[in-house]
Amino acid sequence: MLLIECPWCGPRAETEFSHGGEAGITRPANPDALSDAEWADYLFYRSNPRGAHRELWNHARGCRRWFVVERDTVTNRIAGSFRLDEALPVPASAAGKQAEQGD
Amino acid sequence: MQRYSAFSLLRNALGHNRNWGRVWRSPEPKQGYDAIIVGGGGHGLATAYYLAKNHGMSNIAVLEKGWIGGGNTGRNTTIVRSNYLWTEAALLYEKSMQLWEGLSQDLNYNVMFSQRGVYNLGHSLQDMRDIERRVNANRLNGIDAEVVGTAELGKAIPHLNISPGARYPVLGASLQRRGGVARHDAVAWGFARAADALGVDIIEQCAVTGIDVSGGKAVGVQTTRGPIASDRIGVVVAGHAGVLAQMADLRLPIESHPLQAFVSEPIRPVLDTVVMSGAVHGYISQSDKGELVIGAGIDAYNGYGQRGSFPVIEHAMQAIVELFPVFSRVRMLRLWGGIVDVAPDACPILSKTPVEGLYFNCGWGTGGFKATPGSGWAFAHTMAHDEAHELNAPFSLERFSTGALVDEHGAAAVAH
Amino acid sequence: MAAGQANRLPEGGRIDRSRPLRFSFNGKSYAGYAGDTLASALLANGVSLVGRSFKLRRPRGIVGGGAEEPNAVMQLGEGAAARPNLLATQVELEPGLAARGTRGWPSTRFDIGAALDGFGRILGAGFYYKTFKYPRAWWKLYEHVIRRAAGFGKAPDSPDPDRYEHRNAHCDVLVAGGGPAGLMAALMAARAGARVILADDDVEFGGSLLVGGDAIDGIPAMDWVARVVAELRQMPDCRLLSRGTVFGYHDHNFLTIAQRCVRESDIAAQDQARRPVAERLWRVRAKRVVLAQGAFERPLVFCNNDRPGVMLATAVSGYIRRHAVLPGRRAVVFTNNDSAYRTAIDLAGAGAEVAAIVDSRPGGAGAIEQRVKELGIPVLPGHVVSDVSGRRRVRGAGIARWTGEPWSTVEITLRIDCDLVAVSGGFSPAVHLHSQAGGKLEWSESQLCFLPAEARQSHDSAGAGNGRQSTGDCLADGLRAGTAATVELGLSRPEIEIPATEEVPAAPIEALWRVPAVKDADRCPKQFIDFQNDATVADIRLAVREGYRNVEHVKRYTALGFGTDQGKLGNINGMAILADALGKPIPEVGTTTFRPAYTPVRFGTVAGESVGELYDPVRKTALHEWHEAAGAPMEAVGQWHRPWYFPRGGEDLHAAVARECLAVRNSVGIMDASTLGKIDVRGPDAVNFLERVYTHNVGRMKPGRCAYGILLGEDGMVMDDGVMARLAEDRFYLTTTTGGAAHVLDWLEKWLQTEWPELEVYLTSLTEQFSTLAVAGPNSRKLLEKLGCDIPLDRESFPFMHVRTATLAGIPVSLFRVGFSGELAFEINIGSQFALDLWRKLMDAGREFDITPYGTETMHVLRAEKGFVIVGHDTDGSVTPVDLGMNWLLSREKDFLGKRSLARPDCLREDRKQLVGLLSRDGCTVIPEGAQLIERTGQATPVPMCGHVTSSYPSASLGHPIALALVTGGRGRKGETLFAASPGREPTAVEIVSPAFYDPGGERQHV
């Protein structure tokens, strides 16, 4: 059972939360302008990574707020919890890439 | 291939079992093949077998990163049934069922397919309406199915709690008598042996690290044992489908989740059939060794760790004790997890992709084992002809754009 | 009382000789003492044959002293109190305990199945995969026979009377295992001020010190244990759980402990209501974990090594020292390490004759060898026990010279008569929890075992579980681990000295996996690796020969490690022998992943309290008791129980529903609609928000107005529906379906928080706070007026689809002029605490109208007569609003969730399934719900289907049955005939009609 840090309530058992899928999926501003394939991408396609995953959790049996957790999908290790209104740090993997490119 | 029979057992016993040959070879990978199957689970091995048997291809490699049958093939609860609601799904699973029914003979390997019947319990009036609808659709599709009442259930499943006072009283069930269970490892081994005998190279400890695409066409794979060329590549890796798709810059409408199961210690035979309940989220059968084999629910979060959360096990246990109060003192021996690849409509993807010569077979979710032979059969056709068979045509990737989903999921999950 | 306990030593042991007790095994009565295990008591009584092996039914005796025991699998008790598959080595002896062996027929001692042993060569690994294939239909028969041999114990035959509970706990340090290492670690952490949980699966703390152990700090080892335990017990934040097995180590340092709380004999007498908790599941979140679960001794693999009387050396020592039981009179000790020499000393000290210590190491043992020689025990270094004789009890050992070549053949050079062979093949640390936690394992070539290596969570291993062998080393290692934990936790660490122990320099273990025999490995008598599953050396060789070479394949093919001991006894031997057979080093063959449970756990313990009434407790409305008193059968809807119908006299469902329907159509009916979800929506952006999620034009609704609204998933499918009422400019009230209430609220909240955080909107569930009383029928207005309402209820003042606040019978309510029946109707929303009072007042006032309470079934019929759908009943997640003919609800002026999906090609198909009405052609047949619709009868399968019947009822109001259905292109097919097919029935000819059967113009609700 995961131990999840609610940004408002602190660490709590997984059973207090519900999972809301990948974070950062933004609803298209103008759905009518999208092709069927583009709409399908928003609707059904997720990154489903093996490794770092940013996902939504809801403290359903607590403060009922949604927030973002970065969790490793292999080890379940949690890198951090973030409020929706705070800027998310650059993911470790992407940071590495930038460094390699001498950004 | 050395034929297996009671006679060969006896003859070999006299020779102290020293003359048994290898079940499958352990060849070095060649530089290229006419077709490559990525993934040595049941579905991948079945694909290779039917490619060789039905489509005359033998220059085929199955690449397995670990040991064959080590993924979901060896981690499931072994239930086989074909009583799906939607015609598209029902016909595919029924094809599989028909192949199951002759599989031990076809493969000359006893996969111990045991048609001891599968009951799906109904616990509410809506459940019973849905059961009626599904049974009726099954029969019109030529699939055996019947609705049974509690009295019959009480006789067929002696320890089932059919008390009207139960929290979710059992009001009836659907029954598919031809459904049952099979020996999961034997399915992988049997297909491997039969495919090997037809010339298929089964290469274990060979992880695919890249898919080579040139000019929109698949041309080969990079592996931990070197590059292997082929212009026909079928990917059958269940939970890792998304990871492989990424190698070809493809995206899939798939998410990987942990799914757990557990067995009890072996007890004397007490349950002679398969019992499933959607309402309380539990399914159970008893193996030939005496273990109660129990499937738990899926974890809500994405996971590649082959481990789920303990509360899911607690829920499954509560469901089982609710259905079978006499099992409360039986003891859980071992629990484990697999990685299931779930499509939005809970139906598989057996499809060509935007990359020519690259095919994906995935999205079986929690129900892939039962489809093993049918999946391989249809996928082999798709790979051999570069075109879906009519059985798997509805299960293309395009359906997610057109909206033509085969929604077994939606059909089950309802409000009111 | 001690009579008959032939093997009981006259003194010593940790048994309570003042508390003799009787028990039975296989129907025969025996004597034992409190403090015995069932195994020690059986051995005390000279019972050597306790079980049969799984496949070959070989006679088997007690091998071990704990969780590694493969043979002594017992059935305890009878009826509801039966307990299957308990290990005699782990069962505390209780007065009146009735145990039975679980294998063998007619009895453990005389087993007809034992004949199978003669067919051992045919029944090699995986034999069943190679046969039983023809004739095809016979597999059922073959399997029937195979299944009859399945399993050990029997499940109880009636429900479990026991109570179980779950408890959550948090701690700084969880120590698993209360032996020398665990005690030291716990002591260190506790003195440092950490919150500590120390759990041990045994009855007493002490671990290996219970079995052996010399002086610690100059006092007897168990006195030292008592001192430490006493100190720990005094600590305020230290919890000691004996009989508590840490069986699971999950992610994020979450561990599960199964604790046995009371003994069967203590609770049997209690009455059910006051029964104490039998077992408790501790769900522990620990900051730091110290794993100190000790090590399992390995047997040695020689011919007939499964014969009763071949026992693990430490188990023999344990029976002598802890239970004062001497398991044999003339013993051979066979070992490849120093540890078993202690057993020889214990045996000699207890009066047994030790005929020889057979030590495979040419150089023999370390300093301890001198001690055994002083006792006159002969030592045969460089020798092995190659075979033993005897069937139901070992009678002698065949000794050969060890050549160092496992696959060679040897000659028996010496035969020694004996009734006990104590074996030690070295020790395997119990790395199970470490591995469950994702920790890595490392093969130690010097110690010949897997040791815990890199940890993935916050844990550490200590003591024998970390490869330490002497008591002194275990104490020191426990202290180290405890110290590391305190440092990790940032606590100041107290000074603790390592307790003083006597150290005896030991000689290293030497590899001895398969012991050679007089014949080669395929021809020699069986050499068992997994005793319970009869997996032998020859089986592993066969697997390898056939190409099952991965350790997982070998395990699955031979069933090695799949017994109830989960390979605790045999797995490492199996892997080493596999490595030998493959010519690979052991670490390359690898180990397998360990999975929970470390030892088996009762289903009931895992299920905890949430069974029976507490399994997903029923939700009940404020009026539930009234409904029950009125005799209404209940329908389960979501988590709720709702009254299904209210029978009068001897009415059945149909009679009651017909009466209830007519009452609503002709006078007035009343229904408890409280289970509908109720959501309060308020805030300056409420309109903006609801416009985005509902399909209709929310902004056009004036305060006081109600509208029917539907919610679509983003996939365009109908997800839920209900009434939306605008209470004020910035305030709305929504209803949802009963089953969808929680989901809809969560779903709205998710959109609001994650997608549109800029909108200021507040959502509140009112489902439980308010009850909804639906009053429907032409007399409903009169009824409310009679009751006394402070607002005018006439058509002009309070029109259809409007909402008002009012006072009714003196109680403040919200009145909604909405309904689901097509009649003049009011839904009264009232604080749940007043609901029953108002309901009663309505019933009283309604007597003159013959007010009729009605249930879900009548509600279903009434709405079906109107062609109103129920989401989840007439829809199934694949139905769009267009399919339902609800285009009028879809705003063209705005975007809403799911709108874009409706424009996908598949949603635009003309031949989608659409909602229609059906009438049976004969005018009297009630079409079966769930029937599939076909165009022609008599077609071959698969028959094309063009829809299905979603709802179907006799209609008392209309005088004929009606049905709703989803039909391919149905709206354009009115008048066509289809056939409704249902199992076991003649297809019914049906006509496609409009779904609005009753009052299609809707005049009746507007009055």
Side-chain angles (χ1 to χ4, degrees):
Chain A
M1 178 157 60
L2 307 181
L3 184 68
I4 296 169
E5 172 106 13
C6 169
W8 286 275
C9 308
R12 295 287 192 277
E14 179 193 335
T15 39
E16 293 187 19
F17 299 87
S18 64
H19 184 258
E22 184 174 357
I25 305 292
T26 307
R27 188 168 196 271
N30 187 4
D32 286 339
L34 301 186
S35 68
D36 288 334
E38 288 165 336
W39 180 249
D41 196 83
Y42 154 69
L43 210 49
F44 296 130
Y45 288 68
R46 298 293 178 265
S47 61
N48 192 30
R50 194 177 189 281
H53 188 232
R54 283 186 173 171
E55 58 198 13
L56 292 168
W57 286 87
N58 180 227
H59 196 184
R61 285 157 199 84
C63 67
R64 295 189 63 80
R65 296 221 222 191
W66 286 93
F67 57 96
V68 177
V69 170
E70 183 171 320
R71 180 181 58 90
D72 187 303
T73 58
V74 181
T75 63
N76 279 336
R77 197 165 287 148
I78 289 178
S81 289
F82 311 97
R83 296 196 315 261
L84 289 168
D85 60 359
E86 68 183 306
L88 300 182
V90 179
S93 53
K97 267 182 204 156
Q98 281 176 3
E100 278 167 35
Q101 290 159 1
D103 182 46
Chain B
M1 182 170 81
Q2 204 172 7
R3 295 291 297 176
Y4 287 165
S5 65
F7 174 71
S8 71
L9 262 183
L10 197 62
R11 198 179 30 144
N12 274 283
L14 296 175
H16 297 272
N17 290 318
R18 286 171 178 248
N19 301 318
W20 290 111
R22 292 203 59 160
V23 177
W24 63 88
R25 296 163 294 129
S26 180
E28 283 300 310
K30 292 191 246 176
Q31 290 191 333
Y33 288 92
D34 294 342
I36 287 175
I37 312 293
V38 183
H43 289 238
L45 293 163
T47 305
Y49 171 67
Y50 289 115
L51 267 175
K53 186 191 171 205
N54 295 352
H55 305 285
M57 297 175 70
S58 59
N59 188 25
I60 301 172
V62 176
L63 308 181
E64 167 54 50
K65 78 170 171 185
W67 39 284
I68 64 165
N72 292 347
T73 302
R75 293 166 187 276
N76 66 83
T77 50
T78 80
I79 297 169
V80 176
R81 62 185 177 92
S82 64
N83 55 349
Y84 279 68
L85 171 67
W86 300 107
T87 296
E88 296 87 343
L91 295 183
L92 181 61
Y93 285 100
E94 177 59 17
K95 173 69 195 177
S96 202
M97 175 67 84
Q98 287 165 10
L99 292 169
W100 277 114
E101 288 176 321
L103 201 59
S104 292
Q105 294 73 28
D106 188 28
L107 300 179
N108 182 237
Y109 200 101
N110 189 354
V111 300
M112 303 170 108
F113 177 47
S114 172
Q115 294 178 291
R116 47 189 61 255
V118 174
Y119 290 86
N120 290 79
L121 303 180
H123 298 270
S124 66
L125 296 176
Q126 185 60 41
D127 280 358
M128 293 313 296
R129 279 190 284 269
D130 292 337
I131 282 173
E132 193 79 34
R133 176 184 172 196
R134 181 161 47 77
V135 163
N136 185 19
N138 289 158
R139 289 163 73 123
L140 290 166
N141 274 322
I143 296 166
D144 75 301
E146 54 203 278
V147 180
V148 294
T150 44
E152 193 182 324
L153 281 173
K155 272 185 230 144
I157 313 169
H159 298 286
L160 180 67
N161 179 13
I162 50 169
S163 149
R167 171 62 185 90
Y168 287 104
V170 175
L171 303 184
S174 72
L175 164 62
Q176 183 177 27
R177 291 188 193 273
R178 287 160 69 232
V181 291
R183 170 82 188 131
H184 53 9
D185 292 327
V187 176
W189 300 339
F191 271 117
R193 174 167 169 268
D196 177 89
L198 294 173
V200 173
D201 282 358
I202 295 164
I203 302 161
E204 296 179 270
Q205 309 295 339
C206 178
V208 170
T209 55
I211 297 176
D212 299 332
V213 179
S214 171
K217 293 180 187 178
V219 293
V221 292
Q222 299 292 324
T223 78
T224 48
R225 294 173 70 172
I228 306 174
S230 183
D231 57 6
R232 228 181 279 241
I233 299 166
V235 181
V236 200
V237 296
H240 286 88
V243 178
L244 271 288
Q246 246 172 26
M247 294 178 189
D249 283 331
L250 291 175
R251 269 156 72 81
L252 291 174
I254 289 283
E255 293 199 74
S256 301
H257 291 268
L259 178 68
Q260 301 177 85
F262 56 94
V263 292
S264 75
E265 295 184 300
I267 53 172
R268 307 291 295 162
V270 65
L271 177 65
D272 201 31
T273 184
V274 182
V275 179
M276 314 180 69
S277 166
V280 301
H281 300 293
Y283 39 107
I284 182 168
S285 64
Q286 187 173 19
S287 75
D288 284 349
K289 221 181 134 191
E291 299 149 323
L292 298 173
V293 183
I294 294 163
I298 193 166
D299 274 279
Y301 53 78
N302 303 49
Y304 284 91
Q306 292 186 332
R307 43 206 282 126
S309 287
F310 194 68
V312 174
I313 296 296
E314 291 174 2
H315 286 309
M317 205 64 98
Q318 288 152 6
I320 293 306
V321 172
E322 191 64 12
L323 292 175
F324 293 96
V326 302
F327 292 162
S328 174
R329 284 180 169 218
V330 176
R331 301 196 298 175
M332 174 177 82
L333 181 61
R334 181 173 65 250
L335 71 87
W336 66 91
I339 312 165
V340 295
D341 43 330
V342 182
D345 56 356
C347 274
I349 295 166
L350 279 143
S351 181
K352 297 167 66 173
T353 68
V355 176
E356 198 182 323
L358 182 63
Y359 309 86
F360 267 82
N361 180 348
C362 57
W364 291 95
T366 61
F369 178 72
K370 66 175 84 72
T372 304
S375 160
W377 189 93
F379 198 49
H381 179 101
T382 307
M383 287 182 66
H385 296 276
D386 191 37
E387 193 178 345
H389 187 272
E390 61 178 22
L391 281 179
N392 65 306
F395 300 99
S396 70
L397 275 168
E398 283 84 61
R399 75 179 190 270
F400 298 100
S401 297
T402 63
L405 305 191
V406 186
D407 205 349
E408 287 290 338
H409 213 51
V414 288
H416 83 139
Chain C
M1 191 76 181
Q5 298 186 50
N7 293 338
R8 183 74 70 181
L9 296 168
E11 58 186 24
R14 298 185 66 76
I15 50 168
D16 185 350
R17 289 174 200 260
S18 70
R19 288 167 61 204
L21 47 87
R22 294 206 72 84
F23 70 101
S24 73
F25 174 65
N26 284 347
K28 197 174 163 196
S29 178
Y30 296 98
Y33 291 110
D36 262 325
T37 63
L38 176 56
S40 67
L42 286 169
L43 288 168
N45 286 281
V47 178
S48 57
L49 202 165
V50 296
R52 292 268 166 180
S53 69
F54 201 89
K55 188 163 75 175
L56 303 175
R57 310 285 196 93
R58 289 172 59 110
R60 292 288 169 78
I62 292 163
V63 169
E68 76 285 4
E69 172 60 40
N71 295 332
V73 180
M74 298 289 167
Q75 178 85 11
L76 303 183
E78 285 181 349
R83 284 179 287 167
N85 289 15
L86 268 72
L87 299 182
T89 51
Q90 293 186 310
V91 173
E92 291 173 51
L93 200 66
E94 307 172 36
L97 184 80
R100 295 197 159 272
T102 52
R103 301 289 293 180
W105 188 87
S107 74
T108 311
R109 194 160 177 82
F110 302 99
D111 179 14
I112 286 173
L116 283 171
D117 194 14
F119 298 96
R121 268 196 254 157
I122 298 176
L123 308 181
F127 76 94
Y128 28 78
Y129 301 130
K130 294 174 181 151
T131 183
F132 301 137
K133 298 185 299 298
Y134 291 95
R136 206 166 104 178
W138 281 24
W139 166 240
K140 267 195 174 156
L141 297 176
Y142 297 135
E143 194 186 28
H144 185 69
V145 174
I146 293 172
R147 273 178 94 82
R148 279 177 52 176
F152 291 99
K154 287 189 184 129
D157 55 16
S158 47
D160 190 352
D162 278 345
R163 290 208 304 121
Y164 303 89
E165 73 172 18
H166 286 182
R167 269 176 81 171
N168 295 323
H170 295 261
C171 65
D172 295 322
V173 183
L174 170 64
V175 181
L183 286 171
M184 280 311 286
L187 189 65
M188 180 72 207
R191 280 197 191 163
R195 290 182 304 162
V196 174
I197 295 177
L198 171 64
D200 190 280
D201 59 359
D202 211 327
V203 180
E204 288 187 88
F205 291 97
S208 61
L209 303 177
L210 284 159
V211 172
D214 298 318
I216 299 178
D217 272 350
I219 55 174
M222 285 308 294
D223 290 355
W224 179 84
V225 170
R227 201 167 75 187
V228 174
V229 168
E231 181 180 344
L232 291 173
R233 280 198 203 285
Q234 280 179 1
M235 305 248 188
D237 278 337
C238 186
R239 177 171 264 145
L240 275 72
L241 305 177
S242 60
R243 301 185 175 99
T245 308
V246 186
F247 69 89
Y249 194 148
H250 307 269
D251 285 331
H252 296 187
N253 261 29
F254 179 77
L255 295 98
T256 44
I257 305 172
Q259 187 189 16
R260 308 186 301 284
C261 302
V262 284
R263 300 187 308 174
E264 194 78 26
S265 54
D266 295 335
I267 53 174
Q270 307 262 353
D271 78 70
Q272 184 55 32
R274 301 210 325 271
R275 253 177 116 87
V277 167
E279 289 200 5
R280 180 177 295 127
L281 178 74
W282 289 88
R283 314 199 296 172
V284 180
R285 186 81 66 178
K287 286 188 184 148
R288 183 86 187 161
V289 177
V290 176
L291 301 173
Q293 290 184 303
F296 290 106
E297 191 165 25
R298 297 189 293 252
L300 286 161
V301 183
F302 52 90
C303 297
N304 294 312
N305 58 338
D306 66 326
R307 292 304 185 200
V310 178
M311 296 176 72
L312 293 174
T314 45
V316 170
S317 284
Y319 290 118
I320 294 170
R321 298 181 65 136
R322 185 174 178 186
H323 302 292
V325 171
L326 185 58
R329 299 281 155 186
R330 185 175 158 85
V332 168
V333 175
F334 177 23
T335 185
N336 64 349
N337 66 81
D338 277 16
S339 152
Y341 284 70
R342 285 178 171 276
T343 302
I345 296 170
D346 291 337
L347 279 163
E353 181 187 349
V354 180
I357 295 176
V358 181
D359 189 334
S360 65
R361 296 171 298 176
I368 199 167
E369 190 167 336
Q370 194 50 42
R371 294 218 332 231
V372 304
K373 283 188 171 151
E374 283 163 13
L375 292 169
I377 299 171
V379 177
L380 292 172
H383 280 76
V384 292
V385 173
S386 174
D387 196 355
V388 293
S389 58
R391 212 180 123 66
R392 295 211 181 110
R393 176 83 202 201
V394 63
R395 298 162 63 94
I399 315 292
R401 185 166 285 283
W402 167 234
T403 59
E405 287 293 324
W407 305 111
S408 64
T409 53
V410 292
E411 277 180 33
I412 303 288
T413 53
L414 175 67
R415 291 193 180 274
I416 303 177
D417 288 346
C418 59
D419 61 357
L420 177 70
V421 179
V423 296
S424 178
F427 292 83
S428 301
V431 293
H432 303 65
L433 292 176
H434 170 84
S435 171
Q436 281 184 30
K440 294 212 163 69
L441 300 176
E442 207 170 71
W443 179 255
S444 163
E445 198 51 46
S446 60
Q447 290 181 252
L448 298 180
C449 63
F450 282 103
L451 293 176
E454 188 193 333
R456 206 176 73 179
Q457 302 193 43
S458 184
H459 57 98
D460 197 352
S461 297
N466 196 27
R468 302 297 184 273
Q469 284 164 349
S470 71
T471 299
D473 286 350
C474 287
L475 290 165
D477 202 38
L479 186 62
R480 174 201 57 76
T483 307
T486 58
V487 169
E488 182 86 6
L489 293 163
L491 300 170
S492 62
R493 63 191 166 108
E495 281 304 316
I496 299 182
E497 299 241 327
I498 301 170
T501 49
E502 185 206 359
E503 291 298 306
V504 183
I509 185 173
E510 288 179 23
L512 177 64
W513 301 111
R514 187 229 168 207
V515 178
V518 289
K519 289 187 185 168
D520 70 57
D522 298 316
R523 289 169 212 264
C524 67
K526 292 198 167 55
Q527 303 179 306
F528 288 88
I529 299 170
D530 185 310
F531 286 45
Q532 195 176 86
N533 283 328
D534 289 322
T536 65
V537 172
D539 288 329
I540 288 193
R541 285 167 59 85
L542 173 63
V544 167
R545 191 175 301 134
E546 295 193 81
Y548 302 96
R549 296 185 168 201
N550 185 288
V551 62
E552 287 293 340
H553 285 154
V554 173
K555 281 182 63 187
R556 285 156 181 263
Y557 193 62
T558 63
L560 168 71
F562 280 90
T564 56
D565 69 313
Q566 300 232 60
K568 291 185 181 69
L569 194 71
N571 261 9
I572 301 298
N573 282 341
M575 267 182 279
I577 288 166
L578 172 63
D580 262 357
L582 290 170
K584 283 185 182 177
I586 291 169
E588 269 183 45
V589 170
T591 178
T592 55
T593 318
F594 293 86
R595 304 195 175 278
Y598 169 65
T599 54
V601 186
R602 274 197 209 185
F603 282 19
T605 309
V606 177
E609 303 94 333
S610 302
V611 293
E613 281 198 334
L614 295 178
Y615 179 77
D616 196 9
V618 174
R619 293 177 78 181
K620 297 172 180 173
T621 74
L623 303 168
H624 187 85
E625 272 140 46
W626 191 95
H627 303 323
E628 280 193 326
M634 295 287 159
E635 179 185 356
V637 184
Q639 294 172 306
W640 297 87
H641 274 183
R642 302 188 65 180
W644 190 10
Y645 58 100
F646 290 85
R648 280 186 193 165
E651 280 180 333
D652 65 2
L653 170 73
H654 293 296
V657 168
R659 174 180 50 73
E660 290 171 12
C661 285
L662 290 173
V664 173
R665 294 276 178 239
N666 298 327
S667 180
V668 63
I670 181 167
M671 183 183 75
D672 180 4
S674 307
T675 62
L676 294 181
K678 309 175 194 73
I679 300 170
D680 178 271
V681 182
R682 61 179 82 184
D685 298 313
V687 172
N688 189 343
F689 172 63
L690 293 173
E691 288 281 23
R692 299 180 191 197
V693 293
Y694 278 83
T695 65
H696 67 281
N697 290 317
V698 178
R700 286 200 201 143
M701 293 169 66
K702 299 253 178 316
R705 181 75 210 193
C706 297
Y708 174 68
I710 54 171
L711 295 165
L712 309 185
E714 271 284 57
D715 62 356
M717 303 302 150
V718 176
M719 190 179 88
D720 209 275
D721 69 348
V723 169
M724 174 189 289
R726 187 164 194 178
L727 304 178
E729 280 299 324
D730 60 351
R731 192 170 165 207
F732 288 80
Y733 166 86
L734 313 175
T735 67
T736 73
T737 60
T738 297
H743 172 68
V744 168
L745 180 68
D746 290 348
W747 184 79
L748 293 175
E749 193 68 65
K750 186 180 181 191
W751 283 107
L752 200 51
Q753 289 186 34
T754 67
E755 199 68 36
W756 305 311
E758 70 280 8
L759 299 183
E760 189 180 347
V761 180
Y762 306 93
L763 305 173
T764 310
S765 166
L766 301 175
T767 306
E768 309 242 333
Q769 284 70 21
F770 285 87
S771 294
T772 304
L773 281 48
V775 181
N779 285 323
S780 55
R781 183 182 286 134
K782 279 187 219 157
L783 171 64
L784 298 196
E785 283 167 351
K786 180 181 171 192
L787 208 57
C789 186
D790 68 340
I791 59 163
L793 299 176
D794 61 279
R795 178 181 170 174
E796 286 66 37
S797 317
F798 188 10
F800 183 55
M801 293 309 270
H802 280 73
V803 58
R804 298 280 185 267
T805 53
T807 305
L808 191 63
I811 308 170
V813 297
S814 298
L815 282 182
F816 297 79
R817 258 216 66 188
V818 301
F820 204 30
S821 60
E823 297 296 332
L824 171 66
F826 297 85
E827 283 186 1
I828 307 163
N829 247 29
I830 179 169
S832 289
Q833 67 272 41
F834 306 119
L836 185 57
D837 183 37
L838 183 64
W839 178 278
R840 286 200 174 116
K841 286 181 168 137
L842 286 162
M843 289 301 297
D844 283 345
R847 206 164 292 145
E848 72 171 276
F849 309 109
D850 191 20
I851 187 169
T852 302
Y854 66 96
T856 51
E857 190 69 15
T858 291
M859 182 262 286
H860 287 182
V861 176
L862 294 170
R863 60 88 202 178
E865 289 171 347
K866 290 290 295 174
F868 298 153
V869 297
I870 295 179
V871 174
H873 187 139
D874 301 284
T875 71
D876 63 9
S878 68
V879 178
T880 72
V882 181
D883 300 338
L884 297 176
M886 291 181 177
N887 306 42
W888 58 276
L889 265 175
L890 309 178
S891 170
R892 293 170 184 281
E893 297 158 24
K894 61 162 187 176
D895 185 27
F896 52 81
L897 295 180
K899 188 180 192 185
R900 173 63 184 83
S901 286
L902 297 177
R904 294 176 300 174
D906 197 68
C907 294
L908 297 173
R909 277 190 297 116
E910 294 286 312
D911 61 347
R912 286 182 65 84
K913 288 184 188 169
Q914 296 164 340
L915 181 76
V916 296
L918 294 181
L919 292 174
S920 47
R921 279 284 181 196
D922 64 8
C924 61
T925 303
V926 181
I927 310 163
E929 277 185 348
Q932 294 284 337
L933 297 166
I934 55 177
E935 288 175 1
R936 282 179 294 118
T937 56
Q939 301 174 84
T941 59
V943 180
M945 289 169 257
C946 58
H948 73 281
V949 177
T950 61
S951 298
S952 178
Y953 313 95
S955 166
S957 314
L958 296 163
H960 59 77
I962 56 165
L964 299 176
L966 290 165
V967 173
T968 311
R971 273 200 295 280
R973 299 173 71 176
K974 301 222 168 91
E976 276 186 34
T977 297
L978 298 175
F979 295 89
S982 186
R985 291 212 198 189
E986 279 293 300
T988 311
V990 299
E991 181 186 347
I992 301 177
V993 297
S994 156
F997 297 96
Y998 184 84
D999 183 28
E1003 283 93 14
R1004 295 180 65 91
Q1005 59 201 12
H1006 282 285
V1007 296

